[in-house]
Amino acid sequence: MPPFQRYLAWLGKLMTGDAGLSLVNGQPVAALIGSRLGNSLILAGVTALVAVPLALTLGITSAVWRGSLYDRVVGASTVMVVSVPEFLVASAAVLIFAVHLQWVPALSQLGRINGLFDAIRVFALPVMTLTFVVVAQMARMTRAALVDVLSSSYVEMARLKGASQMRIVLWHALPNAIGPIANAIAFSLSFLLGGVIIVETIFNYPGIAKLMVDGVSTRDLPLVQACAMLFCAAYLVLVTAADVAAILANPRLRQG
Amino acid sequence: MTALVSIQDLWVTARGANGTETEIVKGVSLEVARGEVLGLIGESGSGKTTIALATMGYARYGCRISGGTIRVGEAEITALGEKALRAIRGRRIAYIAQSAAASFNPSRTIMAQVIESALIHGTASEAEARAKAVDLFRALAIPAPDTIGNRYPHQVSGGQLQRLMAAMALITDPDVVIFDEPTTALDVTTQIEVLKAFKAAIRDRTTTGIYVTHDLAVIAQIADRIVVLRNGEVRETGPIDDLLKQPKNDYTRSLLAAAEPAPRLRDEDAKSKEPPLLTVAGLTAGYGGLTDTGEPRIPILKDVALTIARGASLGIIGESGCGKSTLARVIAGLAPQTRGTVVLAGETLPPALAQRSKDQLRRIQLVFQSADTALNPTMSIEEIIGRPLTFYFGLRGEERRAQVRRMLDLTHLPSDVLGRRPGDLSGGQKQRVNLARALAAKPDVLLCDEVTSALDTVVAAAILDLIVELRRELGLTTMFISHDLKTVRAICDDVLVLYAGRQVETMGAAAIPETDHHPYTRLLLASVPALRRGWLEEEALAAREGKVDLSLAEGCVFHPRCPDRIAGTCEIGQPPIRTTAAGGVIACHLPAG
């Protein structure tokens, strides 16, 4: 069969859940991914739980105190963090916290977790590294979106009605910034997907990014293809979710 | 009587991007007595809005109140902290902004926003506030007062939003209301309804007001006293009649002169006898594709016909959305036409821009309303004016520069603007560059689309003078699109009135003072505020508020709003066309007189 038809056949089977067999060990690719997907989702989920509120808080507060010392410090440090690649952050974190201080293990072995404290120790480094990377982006975009809304006429009107700063931000500004903020979150979380490849490899975390990297090194094409497909799908789901959120937040779009 | 609002020696400074401070209000002092409405009048940059906002202890981002005292009642605004100011804003002093569309939060319902200040300041329970809001809607003559609050801002019209904002301001029974150009963005026919509603609300509540505007005729209807501002300083203060009849200050006099533009055409300018240069016939245009019957799905213009004699000027007048800009765009080839012909000097022009020859393109030039968006901000003035010279005439180098200088001369611009960018010029100068760019192509026909509406009155008057001068010097033929009857009357030979894409009347500009007009023309004429007190009360306009229905297939388009419509006649059949004694052409079912 020509490659094009083979690809279509593979795609058709993928739709039914059959991702083919691994070329390396002959096991179904779906099973291989299934055993790792949960781990990756936990890592991404924990990171999102830490990163999203942190980023929103930083973005909103610096938009509200635009031009203040706080805003400038947050602005400068987010630019710095954005420009440092995650493998450097990860390596530096291992060097400081695992090797010198020995607070946490250098490798994330999920099999040896006993209780909450252990879990925190295992997740600390990978989550911290990923958070570092995505928070900066999200915070900057949130700030930009909110600054835009805060300089609008209706916010000035609210201020002239005697509304408090808190009310202006939560009741007037945020609902109108949900669209751009949701997009910023989706964009950053999809960036997480790229980030996990490096982070899972460095910390030897048993997720699907690590699986994909192993697949590449052993030239296990069905596995690599399926993983790539999964990342694409996750990206599309995130971006669509953001668009839906933006539509729901806007009465003009909501009512058609 | 002691003043309710007293401003003494107010200074406001703005900090520029490079940290330099400029004073935008320089030592202004004024007082407003209880129950009085004070008009603050001036051009853009005069500091009128800044002063009004300072009364609420508020300065826009980058600005600060740098000196002086402001007292409202017992409260010394300039000495209060942020928290105390919040307690006064929206409670003791309320604000009505220029653009209601921008000042309503798009994601909250109207009711929630109208009663917000009552809830913030605790002047009423939610149920009481809602009931009060509905009463206010009724008092302000807002349609469907019981249900309009449930809507979102984008679902109601501009004129209604402006009145809803007045309800929002009055919900807490404030001592002082600040009106910041509340009718500037509205069409004249809408403006008059809003002004009437405001006037009634002010009278019923004996509201103390500060009314900010650039329009003398509007303020003459509302205010008791006027303060004339220029460049952040008070030029003249006085009761409204004194100021209108015996202005003491030169600047006030120039404002008054600009408010009543004198006709600029003289008898020897009459060009109507010349052969027609531009003839448009049966022009129909719209967008959204065609229906089965070959009509545009969303019609904009229907069967428009016009002729402009060589060297003459035709004014196109109508409210926003009537299709007047589309007409210019279709003639210029920028927008597609469904049917009809555009003939220039005996030559039928192809409908689309791409099919027209370079020379056909050159002969019709369009001048856009907003020079800010029409001029490329990264190009120098020389490049902007030079481009058509290179494109149409292949001029380069010194030759081109000489021609650009000539264009600058023609539009009375100093030659040192050559190397500058549009951002460095004033609004009036930018509009002159915009004109010079069009003139550089040596056009036969100049289509001017609202070229003066974004400008201050005094600056706009100078542009009108320039256009008339160019017509005399170059024999230019112009189509002048405007929503302002006074402007059109001042510089045009003929006037075409558009309503909902239909041409309802065509007449000589001299026929405007006559009484035999289409009902819509009458409504337009009667809606233009006169520069005297009491006009608003005398003007008994009976036109109905109504949405312009572009898709109305049967009958006269204006009948839903017409005060004189004949039931059973006007909604059926195309209105017959008749000629008036003054030579005008009217499409109306009503008999003459």
Side-chain angles (χ1 to χ4, degrees), chain A residues 66-67 152-154 156-165 167 170-173 175-176 249 251-252 254-255, chain B residues 53 56 58 60-61 86 89-90 95 102-108 112-113 116-117 120-121 152 154-155 165 168:
Chain A
R66 178 165 55 132
S152 67
S153 295
Y154 55 84
E156 176 171 84
M157 190 72 218
R159 200 156 275 147
L160 293 176
K161 285 200 272 187
S164 63
Q165 187 72 7
R167 185 178 173 89
L170 297 182
W171 202 80
H172 284 282
N176 290 292
R252 205 180 279 242
R254 191 163 62 213
Q255 295 172 354
Chain B
L53 287 174
M56 308 180 79
Y58 180 78
R60 290 204 164 130
Y61 189 72
R86 275 213 304 272
R89 290 176 189 158
Y95 181 72
S103 298
F104 269 96
N105 190 332
S107 61
R108 297 283 173 188
Q113 297 183 62
E116 188 185 2
S117 28
I120 290 173
H121 299 290
Y152 284 94
H154 70 273
Q155 294 169 316
M165 193 153 56
M168 185 156 93

Short mmCIF file of all heavy atoms in Angstrom, two decimals, chain A residues 66-67 152-154 156-165 167 170-173 175-176 249 251-252 254-255, chain B residues 53 56 58 60-61 86 89-90 95 102-108 112-113 116-117 120-121 152 154-155 165 168:
data_model
loop_
_atom_site.label_atom_id
_atom_site.label_comp_id
_atom_site.label_asym_id
_atom_site.label_seq_id
_atom_site.Cartn_x
_atom_site.Cartn_y
_atom_site.Cartn_z
N ARG A 66 -1.18 49.45 38.21
CA ARG A 66 -0.36 49.75 37.04
C ARG A 66 0.58 50.92 37.32
O ARG A 66 0.18 51.95 37.84
CB ARG A 66 -1.29 50.11 35.88
CG ARG A 66 -0.60 50.48 34.60
CD ARG A 66 -1.57 50.45 33.47
NE ARG A 66 -2.74 51.29 33.71
CZ ARG A 66 -3.22 52.16 32.81
NH1 ARG A 66 -2.64 52.28 31.65
NH2 ARG A 66 -4.28 52.87 33.07
N GLY A 67 1.83 50.73 36.95
CA GLY A 67 2.80 51.79 37.10
C GLY A 67 3.48 51.85 38.45
O GLY A 67 4.43 52.60 38.64
N SER A 152 -11.09 51.53 29.87
CA SER A 152 -12.28 51.78 29.06
C SER A 152 -13.18 52.81 29.72
O SER A 152 -13.06 53.10 30.91
CB SER A 152 -13.06 50.48 28.87
OG SER A 152 -13.58 50.08 30.11
N SER A 153 -14.10 53.35 28.91
CA SER A 153 -15.00 54.38 29.43
C SER A 153 -15.93 53.84 30.51
O SER A 153 -16.28 54.56 31.44
CB SER A 153 -15.86 54.94 28.29
OG SER A 153 -15.06 55.59 27.36
N TYR A 154 -16.36 52.57 30.37
CA TYR A 154 -17.31 52.10 31.37
C TYR A 154 -16.66 51.86 32.73
O TYR A 154 -17.34 51.93 33.75
CB TYR A 154 -18.10 50.87 30.89
CG TYR A 154 -17.29 49.70 30.42
CD1 TYR A 154 -16.79 48.78 31.32
CD2 TYR A 154 -17.04 49.50 29.08
CE1 TYR A 154 -16.06 47.69 30.89
CE2 TYR A 154 -16.32 48.42 28.63
CZ TYR A 154 -15.82 47.52 29.54
OH TYR A 154 -15.10 46.45 29.11
N GLU A 156 -14.26 53.91 33.83
CA GLU A 156 -14.23 55.28 34.33
C GLU A 156 -15.61 55.66 34.89
O GLU A 156 -15.73 56.26 35.95
CB GLU A 156 -13.85 56.24 33.21
CG GLU A 156 -13.88 57.69 33.63
CD GLU A 156 -13.28 58.61 32.58
OE1 GLU A 156 -13.99 59.00 31.65
OE2 GLU A 156 -12.08 58.93 32.69
N MET A 157 -16.65 55.26 34.16
CA MET A 157 -18.02 55.53 34.61
C MET A 157 -18.26 54.88 35.98
O MET A 157 -18.82 55.51 36.87
CB MET A 157 -18.98 54.94 33.57
CG MET A 157 -20.41 55.35 33.77
SD MET A 157 -20.66 57.07 33.34
CE MET A 157 -21.80 57.51 34.61
N ALA A 158 -17.84 53.64 36.14
CA ALA A 158 -18.03 52.93 37.42
C ALA A 158 -17.31 53.67 38.53
O ALA A 158 -17.82 53.84 39.64
CB ALA A 158 -17.51 51.50 37.30
N ARG A 159 -16.11 54.14 38.24
CA ARG A 159 -15.34 54.88 39.24
C ARG A 159 -16.10 56.16 39.62
O ARG A 159 -16.16 56.53 40.79
CB ARG A 159 -13.99 55.23 38.62
CG ARG A 159 -12.93 55.56 39.61
CD ARG A 159 -11.55 55.31 39.04
NE ARG A 159 -11.15 53.93 39.21
CZ ARG A 159 -10.39 53.25 38.35
NH1 ARG A 159 -9.96 53.84 37.26
NH2 ARG A 159 -10.08 52.00 38.58
N LEU A 160 -16.71 56.80 38.63
CA LEU A 160 -17.44 58.05 38.89
C LEU A 160 -18.79 57.78 39.56
O LEU A 160 -19.46 58.71 39.99
CB LEU A 160 -17.62 58.84 37.60
CG LEU A 160 -16.31 59.37 37.02
CD1 LEU A 160 -16.54 60.04 35.69
CD2 LEU A 160 -15.63 60.32 37.99
N LYS A 161 -19.21 56.51 39.60
CA LYS A 161 -20.41 56.17 40.36
C LYS A 161 -20.05 55.86 41.81
O LYS A 161 -20.91 55.55 42.61
CB LYS A 161 -21.11 54.95 39.73
CG LYS A 161 -21.85 55.29 38.46
CD LYS A 161 -22.90 54.23 38.13
CE LYS A 161 -22.33 53.10 37.32
NZ LYS A 161 -23.36 52.15 36.86
N GLY A 162 -18.76 55.89 42.12
CA GLY A 162 -18.33 55.65 43.49
C GLY A 162 -18.03 54.20 43.79
O GLY A 162 -17.95 53.81 44.96
N ALA A 163 -17.88 53.36 42.76
CA ALA A 163 -17.58 51.95 43.00
C ALA A 163 -16.17 51.80 43.57
O ALA A 163 -15.27 52.55 43.22
CB ALA A 163 -17.71 51.17 41.70
N SER A 164 -16.01 50.83 44.47
CA SER A 164 -14.70 50.59 45.05
C SER A 164 -13.82 49.88 44.03
O SER A 164 -14.30 49.29 43.06
CB SER A 164 -14.82 49.72 46.30
OG SER A 164 -15.35 48.47 45.94
N GLN A 165 -12.52 49.92 44.29
CA GLN A 165 -11.56 49.29 43.38
C GLN A 165 -11.89 47.81 43.19
O GLN A 165 -11.87 47.28 42.09
CB GLN A 165 -10.15 49.46 43.97
CG GLN A 165 -9.06 48.99 43.06
CD GLN A 165 -8.85 49.91 41.88
OE1 GLN A 165 -9.44 50.98 41.80
NE2 GLN A 165 -8.04 49.51 40.93
N ARG A 167 -14.79 46.29 43.54
CA ARG A 167 -16.00 46.12 42.75
C ARG A 167 -15.71 46.38 41.26
O ARG A 167 -16.19 45.66 40.39
CB ARG A 167 -17.06 47.11 43.24
CG ARG A 167 -18.39 46.92 42.55
CD ARG A 167 -19.44 47.87 43.08
NE ARG A 167 -20.62 47.73 42.24
CZ ARG A 167 -21.59 46.86 42.48
NH1 ARG A 167 -21.53 46.08 43.53
NH2 ARG A 167 -22.62 46.76 41.66
N LEU A 170 -13.70 43.23 39.98
CA LEU A 170 -14.41 41.96 39.95
C LEU A 170 -15.72 42.04 39.17
O LEU A 170 -16.08 41.12 38.45
CB LEU A 170 -14.69 41.47 41.37
CG LEU A 170 -13.43 41.16 42.20
CD1 LEU A 170 -13.82 40.63 43.57
CD2 LEU A 170 -12.55 40.15 41.47
N TRP A 171 -16.46 43.15 39.33
CA TRP A 171 -17.81 43.21 38.75
C TRP A 171 -17.80 43.82 37.36
O TRP A 171 -18.55 43.42 36.50
CB TRP A 171 -18.70 44.03 39.69
CG TRP A 171 -20.17 43.76 39.53
CD1 TRP A 171 -20.84 42.70 40.05
CD2 TRP A 171 -21.12 44.55 38.82
NE1 TRP A 171 -22.16 42.79 39.70
CE2 TRP A 171 -22.38 43.91 38.95
CE3 TRP A 171 -21.06 45.73 38.09
CZ2 TRP A 171 -23.54 44.41 38.39
CZ3 TRP A 171 -22.22 46.23 37.52
CH2 TRP A 171 -23.46 45.57 37.68
N HIS A 172 -16.94 44.82 37.14
CA HIS A 172 -16.97 45.51 35.84
C HIS A 172 -15.90 45.01 34.88
O HIS A 172 -16.17 44.77 33.72
CB HIS A 172 -16.78 47.02 36.03
CG HIS A 172 -18.01 47.71 36.53
ND1 HIS A 172 -19.07 48.00 35.72
CD2 HIS A 172 -18.35 48.14 37.76
CE1 HIS A 172 -20.02 48.60 36.44
NE2 HIS A 172 -19.61 48.69 37.67
N ALA A 173 -14.68 44.89 35.38
CA ALA A 173 -13.58 44.63 34.44
C ALA A 173 -13.44 43.15 34.10
O ALA A 173 -13.41 42.78 32.93
CB ALA A 173 -12.28 45.17 35.02
N PRO A 175 -15.39 40.41 33.97
CA PRO A 175 -16.27 39.74 33.01
C PRO A 175 -15.93 40.08 31.56
O PRO A 175 -16.12 39.27 30.67
CB PRO A 175 -17.66 40.26 33.38
CG PRO A 175 -17.56 40.68 34.78
CD PRO A 175 -16.16 41.16 34.97
N ASN A 176 -15.40 41.29 31.34
CA ASN A 176 -15.08 41.68 29.98
C ASN A 176 -13.68 41.23 29.56
O ASN A 176 -13.31 41.37 28.41
CB ASN A 176 -15.19 43.20 29.83
CG ASN A 176 -16.62 43.64 29.92
OD1 ASN A 176 -17.42 43.36 29.04
ND2 ASN A 176 -16.97 44.29 31.01
N ALA A 249 -19.01 34.47 27.91
CA ALA A 249 -18.83 35.66 28.73
C ALA A 249 -19.33 36.91 28.03
O ALA A 249 -19.47 37.96 28.65
CB ALA A 249 -17.35 35.83 29.07
N PRO A 251 -22.31 38.81 26.17
CA PRO A 251 -23.75 38.74 25.87
C PRO A 251 -24.05 38.92 24.39
O PRO A 251 -25.01 38.38 23.88
CB PRO A 251 -24.36 39.88 26.68
CG PRO A 251 -23.29 40.51 27.44
CD PRO A 251 -21.98 39.89 27.09
N ARG A 252 -23.22 39.69 23.71
CA ARG A 252 -23.44 39.95 22.30
C ARG A 252 -23.31 38.66 21.48
O ARG A 252 -24.09 38.39 20.58
CB ARG A 252 -22.40 40.95 21.84
CG ARG A 252 -22.79 41.76 20.65
CD ARG A 252 -21.66 42.69 20.33
NE ARG A 252 -21.70 43.86 21.18
CZ ARG A 252 -21.85 45.10 20.70
NH1 ARG A 252 -21.98 45.28 19.43
NH2 ARG A 252 -21.87 46.13 21.51
N ARG A 254 -23.31 35.58 22.96
CA ARG A 254 -24.11 34.55 23.60
C ARG A 254 -25.50 34.48 22.98
O ARG A 254 -26.04 33.41 22.76
CB ARG A 254 -24.23 34.89 25.08
CG ARG A 254 -24.81 33.81 25.93
CD ARG A 254 -24.51 34.07 27.39
NE ARG A 254 -25.10 35.31 27.87
CZ ARG A 254 -24.53 36.07 28.80
NH1 ARG A 254 -23.37 35.75 29.29
NH2 ARG A 254 -25.11 37.17 29.21
N GLN A 255 -26.08 35.65 22.69
CA GLN A 255 -27.44 35.64 22.20
C GLN A 255 -27.53 35.61 20.69
O GLN A 255 -28.58 35.81 20.12
CB GLN A 255 -28.19 36.85 22.75
CG GLN A 255 -28.30 36.73 24.25
CD GLN A 255 -28.84 37.96 24.90
OE1 GLN A 255 -29.05 38.97 24.25
NE2 GLN A 255 -29.07 37.89 26.20
N LEU B 53 -14.57 66.88 35.35
CA LEU B 53 -14.18 65.67 36.10
C LEU B 53 -13.52 66.04 37.43
O LEU B 53 -13.70 65.35 38.43
CB LEU B 53 -13.24 64.80 35.26
CG LEU B 53 -13.89 64.05 34.10
CD1 LEU B 53 -12.83 63.35 33.26
CD2 LEU B 53 -14.91 63.04 34.60
N MET B 56 -15.48 66.20 40.54
CA MET B 56 -15.71 64.96 41.26
C MET B 56 -14.42 64.46 41.91
O MET B 56 -14.35 63.32 42.37
CB MET B 56 -16.25 63.89 40.31
CG MET B 56 -17.45 64.37 39.51
SD MET B 56 -18.08 63.11 38.40
CE MET B 56 -19.01 62.09 39.55
N TYR B 58 -11.75 63.80 40.39
CA TYR B 58 -11.21 62.75 39.53
C TYR B 58 -10.36 63.36 38.44
O TYR B 58 -10.71 64.37 37.84
CB TYR B 58 -12.38 61.97 38.91
CG TYR B 58 -11.96 60.86 37.99
CD1 TYR B 58 -11.52 59.64 38.51
CD2 TYR B 58 -12.00 61.02 36.61
CE1 TYR B 58 -11.13 58.61 37.67
CE2 TYR B 58 -11.62 59.99 35.76
CZ TYR B 58 -11.18 58.79 36.30
OH TYR B 58 -10.81 57.78 35.47
N ARG B 60 -8.01 62.01 34.99
CA ARG B 60 -7.73 60.83 34.17
C ARG B 60 -6.30 60.38 34.34
O ARG B 60 -5.45 61.12 34.84
CB ARG B 60 -8.02 61.14 32.70
CG ARG B 60 -9.51 61.30 32.47
CD ARG B 60 -9.89 61.03 31.03
NE ARG B 60 -11.34 60.84 30.95
CZ ARG B 60 -12.14 61.45 30.08
NH1 ARG B 60 -11.63 62.26 29.20
NH2 ARG B 60 -13.42 61.22 30.09
N TYR B 61 -6.03 59.16 33.90
CA TYR B 61 -4.71 58.55 34.04
C TYR B 61 -3.63 59.47 33.48
O TYR B 61 -3.73 59.95 32.34
CB TYR B 61 -4.69 57.21 33.31
CG TYR B 61 -3.45 56.40 33.55
CD1 TYR B 61 -3.25 55.79 34.79
CD2 TYR B 61 -2.49 56.25 32.57
CE1 TYR B 61 -2.12 55.05 35.04
CE2 TYR B 61 -1.35 55.50 32.80
CZ TYR B 61 -1.17 54.90 34.03
OH TYR B 61 -0.04 54.16 34.28
N ARG B 86 -15.11 58.55 47.09
CA ARG B 86 -16.01 57.49 46.60
C ARG B 86 -17.41 57.67 47.13
O ARG B 86 -18.39 57.40 46.44
CB ARG B 86 -15.46 56.12 47.01
CG ARG B 86 -14.43 55.54 46.08
CD ARG B 86 -14.52 54.03 46.03
NE ARG B 86 -14.40 53.40 47.32
CZ ARG B 86 -13.25 53.05 47.88
NH1 ARG B 86 -12.13 53.27 47.25
NH2 ARG B 86 -13.23 52.49 49.07
N ARG B 89 -18.93 60.55 44.91
CA ARG B 89 -19.14 60.25 43.49
C ARG B 89 -20.35 59.33 43.30
O ARG B 89 -20.47 58.31 43.96
CB ARG B 89 -17.92 59.52 42.91
CG ARG B 89 -16.72 60.40 42.78
CD ARG B 89 -15.55 59.58 42.29
NE ARG B 89 -14.33 60.35 42.35
CZ ARG B 89 -13.12 59.81 42.39
NH1 ARG B 89 -12.98 58.50 42.40
NH2 ARG B 89 -12.06 60.58 42.43
N GLY B 90 -21.23 59.74 42.41
CA GLY B 90 -22.40 58.92 42.14
C GLY B 90 -23.50 59.13 43.16
O GLY B 90 -24.63 58.70 42.95
N TYR B 95 -22.38 61.78 36.93
CA TYR B 95 -21.72 62.09 35.66
C TYR B 95 -22.46 61.43 34.50
O TYR B 95 -22.85 60.27 34.57
CB TYR B 95 -20.29 61.57 35.75
CG TYR B 95 -19.42 61.81 34.54
CD1 TYR B 95 -18.96 63.09 34.24
CD2 TYR B 95 -19.05 60.75 33.72
CE1 TYR B 95 -18.15 63.30 33.14
CE2 TYR B 95 -18.23 60.96 32.62
CZ TYR B 95 -17.78 62.25 32.34
OH TYR B 95 -16.97 62.45 31.26
N ALA B 102 -20.06 53.54 24.90
CA ALA B 102 -18.80 53.11 25.50
C ALA B 102 -18.87 53.13 27.02
O ALA B 102 -18.10 52.45 27.69
CB ALA B 102 -17.66 54.01 25.04
N SER B 103 -19.80 53.89 27.57
CA SER B 103 -19.83 54.05 29.02
C SER B 103 -20.73 53.05 29.72
O SER B 103 -20.80 53.02 30.94
CB SER B 103 -20.27 55.47 29.38
OG SER B 103 -19.32 56.37 28.87
N PHE B 104 -21.44 52.24 28.95
CA PHE B 104 -22.17 51.13 29.54
C PHE B 104 -21.33 49.88 29.42
O PHE B 104 -20.76 49.61 28.36
CB PHE B 104 -23.52 50.93 28.84
CG PHE B 104 -24.65 51.71 29.45
CD1 PHE B 104 -25.02 52.93 28.95
CD2 PHE B 104 -25.32 51.19 30.55
CE1 PHE B 104 -26.05 53.65 29.52
CE2 PHE B 104 -26.35 51.91 31.12
CZ PHE B 104 -26.72 53.14 30.62
N ASN B 105 -21.25 49.13 30.50
CA ASN B 105 -20.51 47.88 30.50
C ASN B 105 -21.23 46.88 29.61
O ASN B 105 -22.39 46.56 29.85
CB ASN B 105 -20.44 47.37 31.94
CG ASN B 105 -19.49 46.20 32.09
OD1 ASN B 105 -19.28 45.45 31.14
ND2 ASN B 105 -18.92 46.06 33.26
N PRO B 106 -20.56 46.37 28.56
CA PRO B 106 -21.27 45.51 27.61
C PRO B 106 -21.73 44.18 28.19
O PRO B 106 -22.60 43.53 27.62
CB PRO B 106 -20.24 45.29 26.50
CG PRO B 106 -18.93 45.60 27.10
CD PRO B 106 -19.17 46.63 28.16
N SER B 107 -21.17 43.75 29.32
CA SER B 107 -21.53 42.42 29.79
C SER B 107 -22.47 42.44 31.00
O SER B 107 -22.64 41.43 31.67
CB SER B 107 -20.27 41.61 30.10
OG SER B 107 -19.54 42.24 31.11
N ARG B 108 -23.05 43.60 31.31
CA ARG B 108 -24.04 43.67 32.40
C ARG B 108 -25.35 44.22 31.85
O ARG B 108 -25.34 45.02 30.92
CB ARG B 108 -23.55 44.60 33.51
CG ARG B 108 -22.27 44.14 34.17
CD ARG B 108 -22.57 43.02 35.13
NE ARG B 108 -21.33 42.46 35.66
CZ ARG B 108 -21.29 41.37 36.41
NH1 ARG B 108 -22.41 40.73 36.71
NH2 ARG B 108 -20.16 40.90 36.84
N ALA B 112 -29.02 46.60 35.95
CA ALA B 112 -27.98 46.39 36.96
C ALA B 112 -27.06 47.62 37.02
O ALA B 112 -26.60 48.00 38.11
CB ALA B 112 -27.19 45.14 36.63
N GLN B 113 -26.82 48.23 35.88
CA GLN B 113 -25.91 49.38 35.87
C GLN B 113 -26.60 50.67 36.30
O GLN B 113 -25.98 51.53 36.93
CB GLN B 113 -25.31 49.55 34.47
CG GLN B 113 -24.49 48.34 34.08
CD GLN B 113 -23.83 48.51 32.74
OE1 GLN B 113 -23.01 49.41 32.54
NE2 GLN B 113 -24.17 47.66 31.80
N GLU B 116 -26.87 50.68 40.04
CA GLU B 116 -25.65 50.36 40.76
C GLU B 116 -25.27 51.41 41.80
O GLU B 116 -24.95 51.08 42.94
CB GLU B 116 -24.49 50.16 39.77
CG GLU B 116 -23.24 49.64 40.45
CD GLU B 116 -22.05 49.55 39.50
OE1 GLU B 116 -22.19 49.92 38.32
OE2 GLU B 116 -20.98 49.12 39.97
N SER B 117 -25.33 52.69 41.43
CA SER B 117 -24.88 53.69 42.40
C SER B 117 -25.81 53.75 43.61
O SER B 117 -25.36 54.00 44.73
CB SER B 117 -24.69 55.07 41.77
OG SER B 117 -25.51 55.27 40.68
N ILE B 120 -24.58 50.88 45.73
CA ILE B 120 -23.25 51.16 46.31
C ILE B 120 -23.38 52.11 47.50
O ILE B 120 -22.79 51.91 48.55
CB ILE B 120 -22.31 51.79 45.25
CG1 ILE B 120 -21.93 50.76 44.19
CG2 ILE B 120 -21.06 52.35 45.90
CD1 ILE B 120 -21.14 51.36 43.02
N HIS B 121 -24.18 53.15 47.31
CA HIS B 121 -24.28 54.18 48.35
C HIS B 121 -25.41 53.89 49.34
O HIS B 121 -25.62 54.66 50.27
CB HIS B 121 -24.49 55.55 47.71
CG HIS B 121 -23.35 55.94 46.81
ND1 HIS B 121 -22.10 56.27 47.30
CD2 HIS B 121 -23.25 56.03 45.47
CE1 HIS B 121 -21.30 56.55 46.28
NE2 HIS B 121 -21.97 56.40 45.17
N TYR B 152 -29.37 44.18 27.31
CA TYR B 152 -27.96 44.53 27.36
C TYR B 152 -27.74 45.80 26.53
O TYR B 152 -28.52 46.08 25.61
CB TYR B 152 -27.10 43.38 26.83
CG TYR B 152 -26.99 42.26 27.82
CD1 TYR B 152 -27.85 41.17 27.78
CD2 TYR B 152 -26.02 42.31 28.82
CE1 TYR B 152 -27.75 40.15 28.71
CE2 TYR B 152 -25.92 41.30 29.75
CZ TYR B 152 -26.79 40.22 29.70
OH TYR B 152 -26.68 39.24 30.62
N HIS B 154 -25.95 46.65 24.04
CA HIS B 154 -25.87 46.61 22.58
C HIS B 154 -27.24 46.42 21.94
O HIS B 154 -27.37 46.52 20.73
CB HIS B 154 -24.91 45.51 22.13
CG HIS B 154 -25.43 44.12 22.35
ND1 HIS B 154 -25.26 43.44 23.53
CD2 HIS B 154 -26.12 43.30 21.54
CE1 HIS B 154 -25.83 42.25 23.44
NE2 HIS B 154 -26.36 42.13 22.23
N GLN B 155 -28.26 46.16 22.76
CA GLN B 155 -29.57 45.90 22.19
C GLN B 155 -30.45 47.14 22.09
O GLN B 155 -31.58 47.04 21.64
CB GLN B 155 -30.28 44.82 23.02
CG GLN B 155 -29.58 43.48 22.93
CD GLN B 155 -30.10 42.49 23.94
OE1 GLN B 155 -30.30 42.83 25.11
NE2 GLN B 155 -30.32 41.27 23.51
N MET B 165 -28.51 56.65 30.51
CA MET B 165 -27.40 57.10 31.33
C MET B 165 -27.83 58.26 32.23
O MET B 165 -27.35 58.40 33.35
CB MET B 165 -26.21 57.50 30.47
CG MET B 165 -24.97 57.67 31.29
SD MET B 165 -23.48 57.39 30.36
CE MET B 165 -23.68 58.52 29.06
N MET B 168 -29.38 56.71 35.09
CA MET B 168 -28.32 56.17 35.93
C MET B 168 -27.75 57.26 36.84
O MET B 168 -27.44 57.03 38.00
CB MET B 168 -27.23 55.60 35.02
CG MET B 168 -26.10 54.91 35.68
SD MET B 168 -25.35 53.76 34.49
CE MET B 168 -24.08 54.77 33.81
#
